[in-house]
Amino acid sequence: MANHFVKASFVLTVTEAEAEVLRKIEDATGILDDSGFEQDELAAAYAALGESFTSCFPSIEADPFGGFRAIFSDPDYPRLGFSLQVDPSDGSGRCKAWFYGDQVDVETAALLIQAAARSALPFGFEYALDCDRLRPGEFGGGYVVIREDGLEFAGSSRLLDRAIARGHHEGVDGYVLVTRDAEAGLLFWNSHSGFGSLAGATVFSEAEAANFDPPIADDQPEWLALPAPLN
């Protein structure tokens, strides 16, 4: 039987307050791992983690740890799948937080950073897919971009398929949303100001474009691929 690995190692810089929350993550998972807690004891243990922790992971309905459980792929079995080490302050009010492991739950790591390390956003990290047997299709990697309003994932296999499928002259560096106006001609979408000039257009990644709900316009908006930058 082959063993599969999701490997990652990265560091981000956080505030001292955020560092304090990250240092309590292991305590929180330990509490949830102890099935001997009654409901009132669980609530007391949650409150004892402090206001900084509870504000990042608010309770949900009757479960004081509901917000914390929500970052895990299996809320009933909260396991990080990676090690988390937080250094002391460097004297500037900032601390380094190290994430590493070979069974990393990528989405859990991303959701944890999004909830507890907002000063570091936007942030992203790469991960590697590995196997202890040299079998085709078992290797690769990917990345996740973490923003306050969402996560963006992409994998090397998808990027490879995309690169093979397009011609050498179709190097895509992003997408813009365009509509046609009878008087102004082509108009390009800006997420803050609406349709306008190309110079102010919002550039979307492939994943962002796929999940974006185009605004209603007189002419049905269409996606245009941007060419790769000139070398």
Side-chain angles (χ1 to χ4, degrees):
M1 180 176 179
N3 293 313
H4 297 86
F5 306 94
V6 182
K7 298 180 179 181
S9 179
F10 59 91
V11 60
L12 67 157
T13 303
V14 299
T15 66
E16 290 189 17
E18 291 167 340
E20 192 58 33
V21 174
L22 293 175
R23 291 188 183 102
K24 294 178 179 178
I25 298 302
E26 185 175 355
D27 292 338
T29 56
I31 292 169
L32 295 179
D33 195 43
D34 188 341
S35 59
F37 279 99
E38 299 292 338
Q39 186 63 25
D40 57 341
E41 294 174 322
L42 198 63
Y46 171 72
L49 291 172
E51 185 177 349
S52 57
F53 180 91
T54 59
S55 63
C56 288
F57 305 102
S59 59
I60 296 178
E61 297 179 349
D63 182 4
F65 281 92
F68 183 62
R69 292 182 194 271
I71 73 172
F72 297 95
S73 53
D74 183 354
D76 294 326
Y77 190 71
R79 294 291 184 274
L80 292 175
F82 54 86
S83 297
L84 173 56
Q85 174 186 323
V86 184
D87 291 348
S89 172
D90 60 7
S92 68
R94 309 285 290 182
C95 306
K96 288 184 177 180
W98 303 79
F99 292 68
Y100 54 93
D102 59 12
Q103 293 292 350
V104 176
D105 186 326
V106 173
E107 185 171 10
T108 293
L111 290 172
L112 173 58
I113 292 169
Q114 186 184 51
R118 299 182 78 84
S119 74
L121 304 183
F123 181 79
F125 64 88
E126 298 174 271
Y127 59 90
L129 303 177
D130 199 0
C131 181
D132 63 356
R133 295 189 180 181
L134 299 179
R135 303 193 309 193
E138 299 290 350
F139 300 85
Y143 69 81
V144 55
V145 177
I146 308 158
R147 300 185 179 89
E148 289 188 10
D149 59 352
L151 308 177
E152 176 189 342
F153 297 90
S156 60
S157 60
R158 181 178 179 183
L159 295 174
L160 176 60
D161 290 342
R162 174 182 160 195
I164 293 173
R166 70 172 184 250
H168 71 277
H169 60 288
E170 301 177 79
V172 175
D173 195 48
Y175 296 84
V176 292
L177 190 64
V178 62
T179 187
R180 293 167 177 81
D181 181 82
E183 296 181 1
L186 293 180
L187 296 175
F188 301 84
W189 176 255
N190 179 287
S191 296
H192 299 290
S193 57
F195 285 105
S197 68
L198 175 59
T202 298
V203 179
F204 294 79
S205 69
E206 186 175 8
E208 290 171 332
N211 294 315
F212 185 74
D213 188 14
I216 297 174
D218 293 336
D219 178 71
Q220 179 63 35
E222 300 177 14
W223 291 105
L224 291 183
L226 296 178
L230 295 175
N231 293 326

